């Protein structure tokens, strides 16, 4: 019961913090709409790069020597290990809320680095497009944004 209350408290606290952070975060372009506006061959190039190399910077899911990101089985094994660690933390007495929160936040930096790497790859690939391709992309984006509304 106490663990449930603590867990709910941590989750609610994190949700409140995320809402507050979202209100303070600068506005960013709608990357989903930008993606949809990309030519299909550019989308495929980025998909292939993600599958082959991942958008990683040396973190846990970094590409291995061959350039391939870890297999689905390797990622599943890592998730299983993480879940086992959460169970261990939850069962440790006395419970350490700070250790639990630190573990929950542990992947935040790696996730942010992957997002940055993906954003960089996206921008680099758009920079490689011709002026005509970017103009067509802008037209598709504008059409999609009008359809979607504010």
């Amino acid at each position: 019961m106490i663990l449930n209350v603590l867990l709910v408290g941590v989750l609610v606290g994190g949700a409140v913090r995320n809402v507050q952070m979202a209100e303070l975060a600068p506005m960013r372009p709608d990357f989903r709409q930008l993606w949809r506006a990309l030519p299909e061959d550019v989308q495929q190039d980025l998909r292939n790069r993600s599958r082959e190399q991942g958008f990683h910077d040396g973190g846990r899911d970094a590409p291995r020597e061959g350039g391939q990101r870890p297999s689905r089985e390797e990622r599943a094994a890592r998730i299983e290990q993480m879940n086992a660690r959460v169970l261990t933390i939850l069962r440790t007495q006395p419970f350490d809320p700070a250790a639990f929160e630190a573990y929950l936040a542990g992947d935040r930096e790696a996730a942010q680095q992957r997002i940055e790497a993906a954003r960089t790859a996206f921008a680099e690939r758009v920079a490689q497009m011709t002026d005509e391709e970017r103009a067509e992309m802008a037209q598709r984006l504008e059409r999609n944004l009008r359809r979607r509304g504010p």
Side-chain angles (χ1 to χ4, degrees), residues 6-24:
L6 286 171
L7 181 58
V8 169
V10 169
L11 294 175
V12 169
V16 168
R17 190 174 318 133
N18 284 338
V19 167
Q20 291 169 345
M21 295 289 282
E23 291 172 355
L24 300 174

Side-chain angles (χ1 to χ4, degrees), residues 45 123-130 133-134:
D45 286 348
E124 288 171 353
R125 187 57 184 90
V126 169
Q128 294 170 0
M129 293 167 52
T130 66
E133 288 173 321
R134 279 191 301 280

Side-chain angles (χ1 to χ4, degrees), residues 22-91:
E23 291 172 355
L24 300 174
M27 296 300 289
R28 294 191 177 111
D30 186 338
F31 282 100
R32 287 177 297 185
Q33 291 299 328
L34 283 168
W35 176 264
R36 290 178 184 137
L38 284 172
E40 181 58 37
D41 64 318
V42 174
Q43 289 181 17
Q44 192 58 49
D45 286 348
L46 288 167
R47 278 188 208 103
N48 290 341
R49 179 174 172 190
S50 175
R51 272 189 217 107
E52 293 167 6
Q53 301 172 351
F55 292 121
H56 306 289
D57 59 347
R60 282 185 261 196
D61 282 339
R64 296 175 298 194
E65 284 184 27
Q68 294 288 319
R69 69 180 184 170
S71 69
R72 179 172 293 188
E73 292 79 18
E74 290 168 322
R75 290 191 311 270
R78 185 175 74 84
I79 290 169
E80 191 173 318
Q81 289 173 345
M82 293 170 68
N83 289 337
R85 178 69 179 133
V86 167
L87 291 171
T88 298
I89 292 171
L90 289 173
R91 290 181 174 134

